[in-house]
Amino acid sequence: MRITLAEDSALLRESLAQLLTAEGHEIVDSVGTATELLAAVRVRPPDLVIADVRMPPDHVDEGIRAALEIRRDQPGIAILVLSQYVERRHAAEFLTGTGGIGYLLKDRVAAIGAFLDAVERVGAGGTAFDPEVVRQLLLHNRADSPLHRLTERERAVLELMAQGLSNAAICQQLFVTRSAVEKHINAIFTKLDLPAGEAHNRRVLAILQHLRAVAVDALPG
């Protein structure tokens, strides 16, 4: 996979580059600012961008705003953002795409296996959301959102789906059978109005529709 890294910490940026290269990925560009990221992606579009949420000059939200611009202009590029915290306002807008998106807290990067798994899933067009990101978005649920239709167990299944877990992994996490998980997932699809004839991947659409719905409270106004 061809990857562009955007991280203002030179040490972390180099560590990620070495780790990803060792896994067989190609680092197309490695930059330290959001401005450099946008310029690099225009010249050499990668398969995946890994970007910090906070970058120079103000270290507020430059990285995720650059990620949003890339998704608008070059939607074929997958994006995985890294952050020290959950930036709910921009997370809501960031989730308005289809697949190929992820949001991890930097603490999770230390878990190398989980990080590399997230890189692979997002690069392949899937999703990868840190459990804490999902939890905080869930806390901002509105009573009239699709989430309100789900049972407690269905919400738990959808939360694990949003983290990128397979049906088998969800079985292990919840200590239930595969058929039970499949039943819950089918119920989720129905309650989120995703019919069997949906042209796109219903699993990805369920995750994105759900997270968009529960993130709206983070938007201004």
Side-chain angles (χ1 to χ4, degrees), residues 8-209:
D8 64 299
S9 167
L11 180 60
L12 178 56
R13 190 168 70 244
E14 181 59 28
S15 297
L16 290 176
Q18 291 181 8
L19 173 63
L20 293 167
T21 299
E23 290 296 311
H25 300 297
E26 176 188 353
I27 304 303
V28 179
D29 285 291
S30 182
V31 300
T33 70
T35 301
E36 291 174 321
L37 169 61
L38 292 173
V41 167
R42 291 189 190 103
V43 175
R44 288 175 294 278
D47 301 311
L48 171 70
V49 165
I50 300 177
D52 189 3
V53 167
R54 289 183 169 184
M55 299 187 75
D58 299 323
H59 295 278
V60 178
D61 57 6
E62 291 83 355
I64 197 166
R65 285 193 286 109
L68 288 168
E69 185 172 334
I70 292 169
R71 284 197 70 82
R72 285 192 297 267
D73 297 344
Q74 298 170 275
I77 297 176
I79 300 179
L80 174 61
V81 296
L82 308 177
S83 180
Q84 294 284 8
Y85 68 107
V86 181
E87 214 291 345
R88 289 193 300 268
R89 180 167 61 92
H90 286 299
E93 187 178 356
F94 184 61
L95 295 171
T96 58
T98 50
I101 57 174
Y103 196 132
L104 297 182
L105 297 184
K106 284 188 173 180
D107 289 346
R108 306 292 177 184
V109 176
I112 295 175
F115 170 69
L116 292 175
D117 179 62
V119 167
E120 294 288 349
R121 278 189 278 122
V122 173
T127 60
F129 295 99
D130 191 285
E132 180 62 16
V133 173
V134 176
R135 188 189 71 81
Q136 290 203 28
L137 291 179
L138 287 172
L139 291 176
H140 287 261
N141 165 52
R142 282 182 176 176
D144 59 352
S145 77
L147 178 65
H148 186 61
R149 308 172 192 169
L150 306 182
T151 66
E152 182 176 348
R153 180 52 63 118
E154 288 163 358
R155 294 183 195 183
V157 170
L158 185 52
E159 180 176 341
L160 293 173
M161 287 169 60
Q163 294 173 29
L165 272 65
S166 65
N167 287 7
I170 293 173
C171 292
Q172 294 176 354
Q173 287 283 331
L174 299 180
F175 302 101
V176 296
T177 65
R178 181 181 290 270
S179 62
V181 169
E182 292 173 351
K183 180 180 177 180
H184 289 315
I185 291 175
N186 285 332
I188 290 166
F189 290 160
T190 298
K191 292 178 181 181
L192 295 184
D193 301 318
L194 297 172
E198 191 68 57
H200 300 288
N201 186 316
R202 288 197 297 167
R203 194 182 188 92
V204 173
L205 289 174
I207 292 167
L208 295 177
Q209 179 178 327

